[in-house]
Amino acid sequence: MDTARYDVVIIGGGAAGLSAATTLSRALRSVLVIDSGAPRNAPAAGVHGYLSRDGMSPSELLSIGRNEVVSYGGTVIDGEAVSARRTTDVFEVMLGDGRRFSGRRLLVTTGLTDGLPPIDGLREQWGKGVVHCPYCHGWEIRGKRIGVLGTGPMSVHQALLFRQWSPDITLFLNDTVEPTDEEWDKLGARSVRVVDGAVASVDAVDGVLAGLTLRQGSSFDMQALAVGTRMEARSAVLQSLGLSTQAHPMGMGRFIESDATGATAVQGVYAAGNVSNMMAQVITAAAEGVMTGARINADLIEEETRWAVDGRLGPFSAASEADVSTIVLGHRPHGLDDGQETAGMRHGAALKE
């Protein structure tokens, strides 16, 4: 089956992917964005920290982004990319429904998934009463009774962060977190309450977070709950190309490693956004998309320039054909006297009529 071919295929239609697609489309590149329609921030009511777009719903932001890509000639389709392979000169991407597309370069912006502890009622409140990032949600829950659910080594840090937004912070150790002596001092100095024991449930009334209940039966009234998730890069396509995820040094999950320009260890394959930067907010992911898109365009220009040089100096250049004619026929090509061959021609300069 023939595959449609593009300069760049982008897998993932979030802030990073659409920003890269807009940048590349404005650079007159043929671009395809393949989007599975499952953005990480879908449960959130609004995007925050994004200059001029603060409070906009995630779906509206992406809708506007899609329209911008299309307005510059890019293509956006719905579908789930399941694998990719490198052929002689392109990357072929396979979708779950059997469609195939190819691109000279591949950019993966599939983001990550948030692994939540298996606690009753927790997932139902995710993105509502349960949040994870103070810079994304702190303003909305400022001054409220905020609980922090212990999930790992960063939970104490998370409790101290949220203390900036409220004086009423409770850290639930959840039989998971054991603060060091230094951390106990910090928690005490900042008046963060600490509760021992495993959490049994996250409780809600009429869909609104009401508090927590411990396994031993105690309940605590809370107006918001912060949870550090286990973040895992959506990396199936990258893994099909031989790339593997790396463990985050602070134990928060696994990500795909790339350099400052988005380049991965596989030449021609790039990554941007949460798939390679787990801490990136929406505006950060968008900025990475712009930067990586520009780098991909520069990469393509370098390749096309090599092709142009090879065409002028290679076996079919004007100078090379003149040399072959001299050797084979014993004279210069028609219309070219011996005195007309110049050093410039030998370096691929065009013949003047």
Side-chain angles (χ1 to χ4, degrees):
M1 182 174 73
D2 293 335
T3 61
R5 176 167 173 161
Y6 297 83
D7 287 330
V8 186
V9 172
I10 300 174
I11 303 174
L18 293 176
S19 294
T22 301
T23 299
L24 287 159
S25 296
R26 283 175 54 84
L28 309 181
R29 294 295 178 185
S30 59
V31 180
L32 172 68
V33 179
I34 303 169
D35 185 27
S36 66
R40 177 193 183 195
N41 62 352
V47 172
H48 296 291
Y50 200 128
L51 188 64
S52 81
R53 295 294 182 266
D54 193 80
M56 178 180 287
S57 73
S59 61
E60 183 181 1
L61 180 69
L62 297 185
S63 177
I64 293 172
R66 280 186 168 215
N67 290 337
E68 288 182 356
V69 171
V70 173
S71 74
Y72 289 113
T75 302
V76 182
I77 65 170
D78 296 322
E80 183 174 3
V82 295
S83 65
R85 67 186 184 96
R86 187 168 198 161
T87 64
T88 302
D89 58 347
V90 297
F91 294 95
E92 187 178 60
V93 179
M94 283 68 75
L95 274 61
D97 59 11
R99 288 178 291 172
R100 295 171 181 248
F101 301 93
S102 64
R104 293 167 55 195
R105 298 295 183 273
L106 181 63
L107 171 58
V108 178
T109 61
T110 45
L112 56 80
T113 58
D114 291 289
L116 294 169
I119 295 175
D120 289 347
L122 180 60
R123 182 164 296 278
E124 289 77 5
Q125 284 293 315
W126 179 240
K128 301 173 185 175
V130 176
V131 301
H132 70 103
C133 170
Y135 300 103
C136 302
H137 311 287
W139 174 265
E140 285 66 37
I141 60 175
R142 65 193 186 282
K144 294 185 176 181
R145 295 187 303 278
I146 302 173
V148 176
L149 179 66
T151 58
M154 294 299 292
S155 294
V156 171
H157 173 71
Q158 190 176 36
L160 294 171
L161 271 180
F162 273 96
R163 177 63 178 80
Q164 172 63 24
W165 281 265
S166 174
D168 195 339
I169 303 293
T170 302
L171 171 62
F172 295 89
L173 297 180
N174 193 33
D175 286 355
T176 301
V177 179
E178 296 182 4
T180 64
D181 290 342
E182 182 181 1
E183 288 174 333
W184 278 115
D185 289 340
K186 291 179 179 180
L187 292 167
R190 294 292 281 161
S191 301
V192 175
R193 289 185 295 275
V194 179
V195 174
D196 202 0
V199 174
S201 65
V202 173
D203 307 321
V205 176
D206 295 329
V208 178
L209 180 74
L212 305 179
T213 299
L214 302 184
R215 288 181 186 171
Q216 46 90 338
S218 300
S219 295
F220 298 82
D221 293 335
M222 292 290 143
Q223 295 171 292
L225 179 66
V227 178
T229 64
R230 171 75 181 179
M231 295 178 279
E232 294 285 343
R234 293 171 173 162
S235 58
V237 172
L238 291 167
Q239 289 186 21
S240 70
L241 291 165
L243 291 166
S244 57
T245 57
Q246 306 296 315
H248 192 276
M250 290 187 286
M252 294 186 294
R254 301 187 69 85
F255 67 102
I256 291 292
E257 194 169 24
S258 65
D259 68 14
T261 69
T264 69
V266 175
Q267 187 174 2
V269 178
Y270 295 78
N274 283 145
V275 71
S276 55
N277 180 1
M278 296 165 60
M279 305 305 294
Q281 293 179 261
V282 177
I283 193 169
T284 310
E288 289 183 359
V290 172
M291 180 179 66
T292 304
R295 179 64 191 95
I296 292 172
N297 184 56
D299 187 15
L300 290 169
I301 288 172
E302 291 171 4
E303 180 178 72
E304 290 157 359
T305 302
R306 288 194 299 271
W307 291 347
V309 170
D310 289 344
R312 293 174 75 85
L313 299 182
F316 300 107
S317 66
S320 294
E321 290 188 1
D323 288 339
V324 170
S325 295
T326 300
I327 294 171
V328 175
L329 302 176
H331 59 79
R332 311 305 290 162
H334 178 70
L336 180 66
D337 297 330
D338 289 340
Q340 290 179 292
E341 183 181 1
T342 66
M345 266 193 54
R346 288 249 178 219
H347 290 286
L351 291 175
K352 292 183 179 180
E353 294 184 355

